[in-house]
Coordinates of all heavy atoms in Angstrom, one line a residue:
M27 N 1.0 -1.2 0.0 CA 0.0 0.0 0.0 C 0.8 1.2 0.0 O 1.8 1.4 0.8 CB -0.9 0.0 1.3 CG -2.0 1.0 1.2 SD -3.3 0.9 2.4 CE -3.0 -0.6 3.2
D28 N 0.7 2.1 -0.9 CA 1.5 3.3 -1.0 C 1.1 4.4 0.0 O -0.1 4.7 0.0 CB 1.5 3.9 -2.5 CG 2.1 2.8 -3.5 OD1 3.0 2.2 -3.1 OD2 1.7 2.8 -4.7
A29 N 2.0 4.9 0.7 CA 1.7 6.0 1.6 C 2.1 7.3 0.9 O 2.9 7.5 0.0 CB 2.6 5.9 2.9
V30 N 1.3 8.3 1.3 CA 1.6 9.7 0.9 C 1.7 10.6 2.2 O 1.8 10.0 3.3 CB 0.5 10.2 0.0 CG1 0.3 9.5 -1.3 CG2 -1.0 10.1 0.7
D31 N 2.0 11.9 2.0 CA 2.1 12.5 3.2 C 0.9 13.5 3.6 O -0.1 13.4 2.8 CB 3.4 13.5 3.2 CG 3.3 14.5 2.2 OD1 2.3 15.1 1.9 OD2 4.4 15.0 1.8
G32 N 1.0 14.1 4.7 CA -0.2 14.9 5.1 C -0.8 15.9 4.3 O -1.9 16.3 4.3
N33 N 0.1 16.4 3.3 CA -0.5 17.2 2.3 C -1.5 16.8 1.5 O -2.4 17.7 1.0 CB 0.7 17.9 1.4 CG 1.6 18.7 2.2 OD1 1.4 19.6 2.8 ND2 3.0 18.4 2.1
A34 N -1.6 15.5 1.3 CA -2.6 14.9 0.5 C -3.9 14.8 1.1 O -5.0 14.7 0.3 CB -2.2 13.4 0.2
I35 N -4.1 15.1 2.3 CA -5.4 15.2 2.9 C -5.7 16.5 3.4 O -6.7 16.8 4.3 CB -5.5 14.2 4.1 CG1 -4.5 14.4 5.2 CG2 -5.5 12.8 3.6 CD1 -4.7 13.6 6.5
G36 N -5.1 17.6 2.9 CA -5.3 19.0 3.2 C -6.9 19.3 3.0 O -7.4 19.9 3.9
A37 N -7.4 18.9 2.0 CA -8.8 19.3 1.6 C -9.8 18.5 2.7 O -10.7 19.1 3.1 CB -9.2 19.0 0.2
L38 N -9.5 17.4 2.9 CA -10.4 16.5 3.8 C -10.2 17.2 5.2 O -11.3 17.1 5.9 CB -9.7 15.1 3.8 CG -10.4 14.1 4.8 CD1 -11.9 13.9 4.4 CD2 -9.8 12.7 4.7
L39 N -9.0 17.5 5.6 CA -8.9 18.1 7.0 C -9.6 19.5 7.1 O -10.1 19.7 8.1 CB -7.5 18.3 7.3 CG -6.7 17.0 7.6 CD1 -5.2 17.2 7.8 CD2 -7.3 16.1 8.7
I40 N -9.7 20.2 5.9 CA -10.4 21.5 5.9 C -12.0 21.2 6.2 O -12.7 21.7 6.8 CB -10.2 22.3 4.6 CG1 -8.9 22.9 4.7 CG2 -11.3 23.4 4.5 CD1 -8.4 23.6 3.4
D41 N -12.4 20.1 5.5 CA -13.8 19.6 5.6 C -14.1 19.2 7.1 O -15.2 19.5 7.7 CB -14.1 18.4 4.7 CG -14.3 18.8 3.3 OD1 -14.3 20.0 3.1 OD2 -14.2 18.0 2.5
V42 N -13.2 18.6 7.8 CA -13.3 18.2 9.1 C -13.2 19.3 10.2 O -14.1 19.4 11.1 CB -12.2 17.0 9.5 CG1 -12.4 16.7 11.0 CG2 -12.5 15.8 8.7
F43 N -12.1 20.0 10.1 CA -11.8 21.1 11.0 C -12.3 22.6 10.7 O -12.2 23.4 11.5 CB -10.4 21.1 11.4 CG -9.8 19.8 12.0 CD1 -9.2 18.9 11.3 CD2 -10.0 19.5 13.2 CE1 -8.8 17.7 11.8 CE2 -9.7 18.4 13.8 CZ -8.9 17.5 13.1
G44 N -12.7 22.7 9.4 CA -13.1 24.2 8.9 C -11.9 25.0 8.8 O -12.2 26.2 8.6
T45 N -10.6 24.5 8.8 CA -9.5 25.4 8.5 C -8.4 24.6 8.0 O -8.4 23.3 8.1 CB -9.1 26.1 9.9 OG1 -8.2 27.1 9.6 CG2 -8.6 25.2 10.9
E46 N -7.5 25.3 7.5 CA -6.2 24.6 7.0 C -5.5 24.1 8.1 O -5.0 24.7 9.1 CB -5.4 25.7 6.3 CG -3.8 25.3 6.0 CD -3.6 24.0 5.2 OE1 -4.4 23.9 4.3 OE2 -2.7 23.3 5.5
M47 N -5.1 22.8 8.1 CA -4.5 22.0 9.2 C -3.2 21.3 8.9 O -2.5 20.8 9.8 CB -5.5 21.0 9.7 CG -6.8 21.4 10.4 SD -6.4 22.4 11.8 CE -6.0 21.1 13.0
T48 N -2.7 21.4 7.6 CA -1.5 20.7 7.3 C -0.3 21.3 8.1 O 0.8 20.6 8.2 CB -1.2 20.7 5.8 OG1 -1.2 22.0 5.2 CG2 -2.2 19.8 5.0
A49 N -0.4 22.6 8.4 CA 0.8 23.2 9.2 C 0.6 23.1 10.6 O 1.4 23.5 11.4 CB 0.9 24.7 8.8
A50 N -0.6 22.5 11.1 CA -0.8 22.3 12.6 C 0.2 21.4 13.1 O 0.6 20.4 12.4 CB -2.2 21.7 12.7
S51 N 0.5 21.6 14.3 CA 1.4 20.7 15.1 C 0.6 19.4 15.7 O -0.3 19.7 16.4 CB 2.1 21.4 16.1 OG 2.9 20.6 16.9
S52 N 1.2 18.3 15.3 CA 0.5 17.0 15.9 C 1.5 16.4 16.8 O 2.7 16.5 16.7 CB 0.1 16.0 14.8 OG 1.4 15.6 14.2
T53 N 0.9 15.7 18.0 CA 1.8 15.0 18.9 C 1.3 13.6 19.0 O 0.0 13.4 19.3 CB 1.8 15.8 20.2 OG1 2.2 17.0 20.1 CG2 2.6 15.0 21.2
C54 N 2.1 12.6 18.8 CA 1.7 11.2 18.8 C 1.4 10.8 20.3 O 2.4 11.2 21.2 CB 2.8 10.4 18.3 SG 2.5 8.5 18.5
A55 N 0.3 10.3 20.6 CA 0.0 9.8 21.9 C 0.8 8.6 22.4 O 0.9 8.4 23.6 CB -1.6 9.4 22.2
T56 N 1.5 8.0 21.5 CA 2.2 6.8 21.8 C 3.7 7.1 22.1 O 4.2 6.6 23.2 CB 2.1 5.7 20.6 OG1 0.9 5.3 20.3 CG2 2.9 4.4 20.9
C57 N 4.3 7.7 21.2 CA 5.7 8.1 21.3 C 6.1 9.5 21.7 O 7.2 9.8 22.0 CB 6.5 7.5 20.1 SG 6.4 8.7 18.8
G58 N 5.2 10.4 21.5 CA 5.3 11.8 22.0 C 6.0 12.6 20.9 O 6.2 13.9 21.1
A59 N 6.2 12.1 19.6 CA 6.8 12.9 18.6 C 5.9 13.9 18.1 O 4.7 13.6 18.0 CB 7.2 11.9 17.4
S60 N 6.5 15.0 17.9 CA 5.6 16.1 17.3 C 6.2 16.6 15.9 O 7.4 16.8 15.8 CB 5.8 17.4 18.3 OG 5.1 17.1 19.5
R61 N 5.3 16.9 15.1 CA 5.6 17.2 13.8 C 4.4 17.8 13.2 O 3.3 17.5 13.5 CB 6.2 16.1 12.9 CG 5.3 14.9 12.7 CD 5.8 14.0 11.7 NE 7.3 13.6 11.9 CZ 7.7 12.8 12.8 NH1 6.9 12.1 13.5 NH2 9.1 12.6 12.9
P62 N 4.5 18.6 12.0 CA 3.5 19.2 11.3 C 2.6 18.0 10.6 O 3.2 17.1 10.2 CB 4.1 20.0 10.2 CG 5.5 20.4 10.8 CD 5.8 19.2 11.5
V63 N 1.3 18.3 10.6 CA 0.4 17.3 9.9 C 0.9 17.0 8.5 O 0.9 15.8 8.1 CB -1.0 17.8 9.9 CG1 -2.0 17.0 9.0 CG2 -1.5 17.8 11.3
A64 N 1.4 18.0 7.9 CA 1.9 17.7 6.5 C 3.0 16.7 6.4 O 3.2 15.9 5.4 CB 2.5 18.9 5.9
E65 N 3.7 16.3 7.5 CA 4.7 15.3 7.5 C 4.4 13.9 8.0 O 5.2 13.0 8.1 CB 5.9 15.8 8.4 CG 6.6 17.1 7.8 CD 7.7 17.6 8.6 OE1 8.2 16.9 9.5 OE2 8.2 18.7 8.4
L66 N 3.1 13.8 8.3 CA 2.6 12.4 8.7 C 2.4 11.5 7.5 O 2.4 11.9 6.4 CB 1.3 12.6 9.5 CG 1.3 13.5 10.7 CD1 -0.1 13.7 11.3 CD2 2.3 12.9 11.8
V67 N 2.4 10.3 7.9 CA 2.3 9.2 6.9 C 0.8 8.8 6.6 O 0.0 8.6 7.6 CB 3.0 8.0 7.4 CG1 3.0 6.9 6.1 CG2 4.5 8.2 7.7
V68 N 0.3 9.0 5.4 CA -1.1 8.9 5.1 C -1.3 7.6 4.2 O -0.6 7.5 3.3 CB -1.6 10.1 4.4 CG1 -3.2 10.0 4.1 CG2 -1.5 11.3 5.4
F69 N -2.3 6.7 4.5 CA -2.6 5.6 3.7 C -4.0 5.8 3.3 O -5.1 6.0 4.2 CB -2.5 4.4 4.5 CG -1.1 4.0 4.9 CD1 -0.7 4.4 6.2 CD2 -0.3 3.3 3.9 CE1 0.8 4.0 6.5 CE2 1.0 3.0 4.3 CZ 1.6 3.4 5.7
R70 N -4.3 6.0 2.0 CA -5.7 6.4 1.5 C -6.4 5.1 1.2 O -7.6 5.2 0.8 CB -5.5 7.4 0.5 CG -4.9 8.6 0.9 CD -4.8 9.7 -0.1 NE -6.2 10.3 -0.1 CZ -6.4 11.5 -0.7 NH1 -5.6 12.0 -1.6 NH2 -7.6 12.1 -0.7
R71 N -5.9 4.0 1.0 CA -6.5 2.9 0.5 C -7.1 1.9 1.6 O -7.7 1.0 1.3 CB -5.7 2.1 -0.4 CG -5.4 2.7 -1.8 CD -4.9 1.7 -2.8 NE -4.7 2.3 -4.1 CZ -3.9 1.8 -4.9 NH1 -3.3 0.7 -4.7 NH2 -3.6 2.4 -6.0
A72 N -6.8 2.3 2.8 CA -7.5 1.5 3.9 C -9.0 1.9 3.9 O -9.4 2.7 3.1 CB -6.9 2.0 5.2
P73 N -9.7 1.2 4.7 CA -11.1 1.6 4.8 C -11.2 3.0 5.4 O -10.9 3.1 6.6 CB -11.8 0.5 5.8 CG -10.8 -0.6 5.6 CD -9.5 0.0 5.4
G74 N -11.3 4.0 4.7 CA -11.2 5.4 5.1 C -9.7 5.7 4.9 O -8.9 5.1 4.3
T75 N -9.3 6.8 5.5 CA -7.9 7.3 5.4 C -7.3 7.2 6.7 O -7.9 7.6 7.6 CB -8.0 8.9 5.1 OG1 -8.7 9.0 3.7 CG2 -6.7 9.5 5.0
V76 N -6.1 6.5 6.8 CA -5.5 6.3 8.0 C -4.2 7.2 8.1 O -3.4 7.2 7.1 CB -5.0 4.8 8.1 CG1 -4.3 4.5 9.3 CG2 -6.3 4.0 8.2
V77 N -4.0 7.8 9.1 CA -2.8 8.8 9.4 C -2.0 8.2 10.3 O -2.4 8.0 11.5 CB -3.3 10.2 9.6 CG1 -2.1 11.1 9.8 CG2 -4.3 10.8 8.6
R78 N -0.6 7.9 10.1 CA 0.2 7.2 11.0 C 1.3 8.2 11.4 O 1.8 9.0 10.7 CB 0.7 6.0 10.5 CG -0.3 4.8 10.4 CD 0.4 3.6 9.8 NE -0.6 2.5 9.9 CZ -0.8 1.7 11.0 NH1 -0.2 1.8 12.1 NH2 -1.7 0.7 10.8
C79 N 1.8 7.9 12.6 CA 3.1 8.6 13.1 C 4.2 8.2 12.3 O 4.5 7.0 11.9 CB 3.3 8.2 14.6 SG 4.8 8.9 15.3
R80 N 5.1 9.1 11.9 CA 6.3 8.8 11.0 C 7.4 8.2 12.0 O 8.3 7.6 11.4 CB 6.8 10.2 10.4 CG 7.8 9.9 9.2 CD 8.1 11.1 8.4 NE 6.9 11.4 7.4 CZ 6.8 10.9 6.3 NH1 7.5 9.8 5.9 NH2 5.7 11.3 5.6
T81 N 7.3 8.5 13.2 CA 8.4 7.9 14.1 C 8.1 6.4 14.5 O 8.9 5.7 14.4 CB 8.5 8.9 15.3 OG1 8.8 10.2 15.0 CG2 9.5 8.3 16.3
C82 N 6.9 6.3 15.0 CA 6.6 4.9 15.6 C 5.6 4.0 14.8 O 5.4 2.9 15.1 CB 6.2 5.0 17.0 SG 4.5 5.6 17.3
G83 N 5.0 4.7 13.9 CA 3.9 4.0 13.1 C 2.5 3.8 13.7 O 1.7 3.2 13.1
S84 N 2.4 4.4 14.9 CA 1.1 4.2 15.4 C 0.0 5.0 14.6 O 0.3 5.9 14.0 CB 1.1 4.8 17.0 OG 1.8 4.0 17.7
V85 N -1.2 4.5 14.8 CA -2.3 5.3 14.1 C -2.8 6.5 14.8 O -3.0 6.4 16.1 CB -3.5 4.3 13.9 CG1 -4.8 5.0 13.3 CG2 -3.3 3.1 13.0
L86 N -2.6 7.6 14.2 CA -2.9 8.9 14.8 C -4.4 9.3 14.5 O -5.1 9.9 15.5 CB -2.1 10.1 14.4 CG -0.6 9.8 14.8 CD1 0.4 11.0 14.3 CD2 -0.4 9.5 16.1
M87 N -4.8 9.2 13.4 CA -6.1 9.6 12.9 C -6.7 8.6 11.9 O -6.0 8.0 11.1 CB -6.1 11.0 12.1 CG -5.7 12.1 13.1 SD -5.9 13.7 12.1 CE -4.2 13.9 11.6
V88 N -8.0 8.4 12.1 CA -8.7 7.6 11.0 C -10.0 8.5 10.5 O -10.7 8.9 11.4 CB -9.3 6.2 11.5 CG1 -10.0 5.5 10.4 CG2 -8.1 5.4 12.1
L89 N -10.0 8.8 9.4 CA -11.1 9.6 8.8 C -11.8 8.8 7.7 O -11.3 8.2 6.7 CB -10.5 10.8 8.1 CG -9.5 11.7 9.0 CD1 -8.5 12.5 8.2 CD2 -10.3 12.5 10.1
V90 N -13.1 8.7 7.9 CA -14.0 7.9 7.1 C -15.1 8.8 6.7 O -15.9 9.4 7.4 CB -14.7 6.8 7.7 CG1 -15.6 6.0 6.9 CG2 -13.6 5.9 8.3
R91 N -15.2 9.0 5.2 CA -16.3 9.9 4.6 C -17.4 9.0 4.2 O -17.2 8.0 3.4 CB -15.9 10.6 3.4 CG -16.8 11.6 2.9 CD -16.3 12.2 1.6 NE -15.2 13.0 1.7 CZ -15.1 14.3 1.9 NH1 -16.4 14.9 2.0 NH2 -14.0 15.0 1.9
R92 N -18.7 9.2 4.7 CA -19.8 8.4 4.3 C -20.9 9.4 3.9 O -21.3 10.0 5.0 CB -20.2 7.5 5.6 CG -21.4 6.5 5.2 CD -21.6 5.7 6.3 NE -21.7 6.3 7.6 CZ -21.3 5.9 8.9 NH1 -20.8 4.8 9.0 NH2 -21.4 6.7 9.8
M93 N -21.3 9.3 2.7 CA -22.3 10.2 2.2 C -21.7 11.7 2.5 O -20.6 12.0 2.1 CB -23.7 10.2 2.9 CG -24.2 8.6 2.9 SD -24.8 8.1 1.2 CE -26.3 8.9 1.1
D94 N -22.4 12.5 3.2 CA -21.8 13.9 3.5 C -21.2 13.9 4.8 O -20.9 15.1 5.3 CB -22.9 14.9 3.2 CG -23.4 15.1 1.7 OD1 -22.5 14.7 1.0 OD2 -24.5 15.4 1.5
V95 N -21.1 12.8 5.6 CA -20.6 12.9 6.8 C -19.3 12.3 7.0 O -18.9 11.3 6.4 CB -21.6 12.0 7.9 CG1 -21.1 12.0 9.2 CG2 -23.0 12.6 7.8
I96 N -18.4 13.0 7.7 CA -16.9 12.5 7.8 C -16.9 12.2 9.4 O -17.0 13.0 10.3 CB -16.0 13.6 7.5 CG1 -16.1 14.0 6.0 CG2 -14.5 13.0 7.8 CD1 -15.2 15.1 5.7
S97 N -16.4 10.8 9.7 CA -16.2 10.5 11.0 C -14.6 10.5 11.2 O -13.9 10.0 10.3 CB -16.7 9.0 11.2 OG -18.0 8.9 11.0
A98 N -14.3 11.2 12.2 CA -12.9 11.4 12.6 C -12.5 10.7 14.0 O -13.1 11.2 15.0 CB -12.5 12.9 12.6
D99 N -11.7 9.9 13.9 CA -11.1 9.2 15.2 C -9.7 9.8 15.5 O -8.8 9.4 14.7 CB -11.1 7.6 15.0 CG -10.5 7.0 16.3 OD1 -10.1 7.7 17.2 OD2 -10.5 5.8 16.3
L100 N -9.6 10.7 16.4 CA -8.4 11.3 16.7 C -7.7 10.8 17.9 O -6.9 11.5 18.4 CB -8.6 12.9 16.8 CG -9.4 13.4 15.8 CD1 -9.7 15.0 15.9 CD2 -8.7 13.4 14.3
S101 N -8.1 9.7 18.3 CA -7.7 9.1 19.7 C -6.1 8.9 19.7 O -5.6 8.6 20.8 CB -8.5 7.9 20.1 OG -8.4 6.9 19.2
G102 N -5.5 8.7 18.6 CA -4.0 8.5 18.6 C -3.2 9.7 18.9 O -2.1 9.7 18.9
L103 N -3.9 10.9 18.9 CA -3.2 12.1 19.0 C -3.3 12.5 20.5 O -4.3 12.5 21.1 CB -3.9 13.2 18.1 CG -3.6 13.2 16.7 CD1 -4.6 14.1 16.1 CD2 -2.2 13.4 16.2
A104 N -2.0 13.0 21.0 CA -2.0 13.6 22.4 C -2.4 15.0 22.2 O -2.9 15.7 23.1 CB -0.6 13.5 22.9
D105 N -2.0 15.6 21.0 CA -2.3 17.0 20.9 C -2.4 17.4 19.4 O -1.8 16.7 18.5 CB -1.2 17.9 21.5 CG -1.6 19.4 21.4 OD1 -2.8 19.7 21.9 OD2 -0.7 20.2 21.1
L106 N -3.1 18.3 19.0 CA -3.3 18.9 17.7 C -3.5 20.3 17.6 O -4.5 20.7 18.2 CB -4.5 18.0 16.9 CG -4.4 18.5 15.4 CD1 -3.3 18.1 14.5 CD2 -5.7 17.8 14.9
S107 N -2.5 21.1 17.4 CA -2.6 22.6 17.7 C -2.5 23.3 16.2 O -1.5 23.0 15.5 CB -1.5 23.1 18.5 OG -1.5 22.3 19.8
P108 N -3.4 24.3 16.1 CA -3.3 24.9 14.8 C -2.1 25.9 14.8 O -1.4 26.0 15.9 CB -4.6 26.0 14.9 CG -5.4 25.3 15.8 CD -4.6 24.6 16.7
P109 N -1.5 26.0 13.6 CA -0.3 26.8 13.5 C -0.3 28.1 14.1 O -1.5 28.7 14.2 CB -0.1 26.8 11.9 CG -1.4 26.7 11.3 CD -2.1 25.8 12.2
Ligands
ZN25 ZN1 4.6 8.0 17.5

């Protein structure tokens, strides 16, 4: 499965958060690594979009679009701060 980076889900994140989030700072709840969302590892062919930590590989976000509703599981994040 080919991974892309967080820039690939910029539009999806705008739909979820209502603002540009690729420059937001994310903190992994598993290893504590912090980096901009643009640098996270994104898998788009999973059921929904899976965003993983580039340091430890833990799942940080799962985003599923169903009809006009987007479900967002952010439980893998310790923090997500707008730029
Ligand atoms: Zn991590």
Side-chain angles (χ1 to χ4, degrees):
M27 194 175 341
D28 294 331
V30 293
D31 68 29
N33 289 305
I35 55 169
L38 177 61
L39 294 177
I40 288 173
D41 286 347
V42 173
F43 295 100
T45 187
E46 162 60 36
M47 291 297 285
T48 57
S51 174
S52 69
T53 302
C54 174
T56 300
C57 73
S60 292
R61 57 171 46 84
V63 169
E65 296 179 10
L66 298 176
V67 183
V68 175
F69 296 91
R70 304 188 78 175
R71 287 199 181 158
T75 298
V76 175
V77 182
R78 290 182 176 270
C79 176
R80 192 168 289 280
T81 301
C82 73
S84 291
V85 175
L86 302 181
M87 294 186 259
V88 180
L89 305 161
V90 179
R91 186 192 295 271
R92 186 175 48 212
M93 310 290 280
D94 288 336
V95 177
I96 301 172
S97 300
D99 177 353
L100 309 178
S101 58
L103 286 167
D105 188 48
L106 183 64
S107 303

